[in-house]
């Protein structure tokens, strides 16, 4: 599936969130490098469109962690006990926009590398960090979003602390306290790690997650008649050269 299919799904999902200013936020995304930026310099989805793919992967991973209710809410459970409830539009906002801080963040350069097949040295491109808005990571994502629309407290805390203890905070107790206040913080952290560690390779999705189409929205998930459980499908992968 090509990158336009990913863009279409991203915008369809984000369009489910009906808040003042969402049109302006989408315009910012469309005019930025969000759809063509990598997700990292070299670790996961370090390829054009990687950030877009990663955002959809986190959405799918987060939905997979939660239990869907017919009233448009999700339940986050620990050992069978509901510890948090999350509206569907919050799931979308947290997952799709947690890394909006990576817009205008990456640059490119070249380096000399020996071609094993020919034995010749060649210039090969690689990604660099060229942060045009050095305001941090999770906090910057929250600040960008709030320039255009609103965030609930649950969304704000989850996006702000989605890096967990790797967020380089002066007071790590803030992360633990935030999780106690809003367990959705931990859910987003977990979904982010699941996407980057289990679903994604350096240049594309892992084969296990490569070509499975995703549902249009949470409300379109159908119960599996065999198990009674919601069906779950991952985001489509970038095609070669997309």
């Amino acid at each position: 599936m090509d990158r336009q299919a990913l863009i279409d799904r991203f915008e369809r999902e984000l369009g489910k969130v009906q808040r003042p200013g969402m049109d302006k936020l989408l315009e910012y995304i469309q005019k930025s490098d969000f759809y063509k930026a990598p997700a990292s310099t070299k670790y996961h989805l370090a390829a054009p469109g990687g950030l877009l793919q990663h955002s959809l992967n986190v959405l799918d991973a987060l939905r997979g962690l939660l239990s869907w209710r017919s009233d448009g809410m999700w339940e986050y459970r620990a050992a069978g006990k509901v510890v948090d409830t999350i509206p569907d539009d919050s799931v979308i906002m947290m997952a799709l926009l947690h890394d909006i801080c990576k817009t205008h963040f990456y640059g490119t350069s070249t380096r000399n590398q020996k071609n094993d097949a020919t034995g010749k040295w060649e210039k090969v491109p690689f990604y660099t960090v060229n942060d045009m808005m050095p305001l941090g990571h999770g906090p910057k994502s929250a600040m960008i979003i709030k320039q255009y629309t609103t965030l609930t407290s649950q969304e704000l805390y989850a996006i702000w602390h989605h890096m967990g203890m790797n967020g380089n905070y002066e007071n790590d107790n803030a992360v633990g306290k935030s999780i106690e206040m809003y367990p959705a913080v931990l859910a987003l952290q977990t979904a982010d790690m699941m996407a980057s560690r289990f679903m994604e390779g350096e240049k594309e999705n892992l084969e296990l997650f490569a070509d499975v189409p995703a549902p249009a929205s949470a409300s379109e998930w159908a119960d599996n008649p065999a198990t009674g459980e919601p069906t779950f499908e991952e985001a489509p992968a970038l095609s070669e050269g997309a």
Side-chain angles (χ1 to χ4, degrees):
M1 191 170 292
D2 62 21
R3 197 185 313 164
Q4 187 57 52
L6 299 178
I7 293 172
D8 290 345
R9 187 195 170 202
F10 179 92
E11 295 188 355
R12 184 172 64 245
E13 292 280 9
L14 204 61
K16 306 267 181 202
V17 182
Q18 300 297 307
R19 299 180 191 178
M22 287 299 294
D23 56 334
K24 299 298 183 184
L25 178 59
L26 180 58
E27 184 179 350
Y28 166 82
I29 292 170
Q30 292 170 333
K31 290 182 176 179
S32 75
D33 61 346
F34 188 98
Y35 292 153
K36 62 183 180 181
S40 70
T41 56
K42 60 182 179 180
Y43 300 106
H44 65 108
L45 289 177
L51 177 58
L52 171 63
Q53 177 76 72
H54 172 70
S55 301
L56 289 167
N57 286 348
V58 173
L59 177 62
D60 289 337
L62 182 55
R63 283 177 172 164
L65 283 171
L66 307 174
S67 299
W68 169 248
R69 295 191 333 201
S70 60
D71 62 356
M73 298 288 288
W74 295 89
E75 292 180 344
Y76 184 37
R77 299 179 181 179
K81 180 180 180 180
V82 177
V83 295
D84 210 350
T85 56
I86 313 172
D88 189 46
D89 62 346
S90 293
V91 169
I92 293 169
M93 291 289 285
M94 293 188 302
L96 294 188
L97 302 177
H98 74 284
D99 269 350
I100 196 173
C101 58
K102 291 182 178 179
T103 55
H104 308 298
F105 183 77
Y106 295 109
T108 58
S109 186
T110 60
R111 61 187 167 207
N112 291 324
Q113 181 173 303
K114 192 173 184 178
N115 187 314
D116 292 336
T118 65
K120 296 181 179 180
W121 288 90
E122 302 173 349
K123 285 189 177 295
V124 294
F126 68 98
Y127 285 109
T128 61
V129 172
N130 181 27
D131 192 354
M132 298 174 65
M133 296 181 288
L135 296 170
H137 192 82
K140 181 166 72 172
S141 286
M143 285 186 278
I144 291 174
I145 297 166
K146 285 180 67 65
Q147 287 185 76
Y148 300 97
T149 190
T150 59
L151 287 172
T152 67
S153 294
Q154 184 183 56
E155 296 162 1
L156 176 63
Y157 277 81
I159 292 171
W160 194 287
H161 292 300
H162 78 265
M163 292 291 289
M165 297 301 181
N166 295 319
N168 296 321
Y169 301 107
E170 293 183 5
N171 179 12
D172 284 342
N173 288 333
V175 179
K177 182 63 176 177
S178 295
I179 291 171
E180 293 173 7
M181 293 168 59
Y182 299 103
V185 173
L186 181 59
L188 182 59
Q189 290 174 12
T190 304
D192 193 18
M193 290 293 289
M194 291 174 73
S196 63
R197 301 290 179 173
F198 302 149
M199 300 171 71
E200 301 163 3
E202 181 181 335
K203 298 296 183 183
E204 59 186 338
N205 270 4
L206 299 179
E207 184 177 353
L208 179 64
F209 302 94
D211 298 313
V212 185
S217 70
S219 61
E220 293 180 18
W221 287 22
D223 284 344
N224 184 321
T227 65
E229 295 296 323
T231 58
F232 173 63
E233 301 174 272
E234 292 78 26
L238 289 169
S239 61
E240 186 70 20

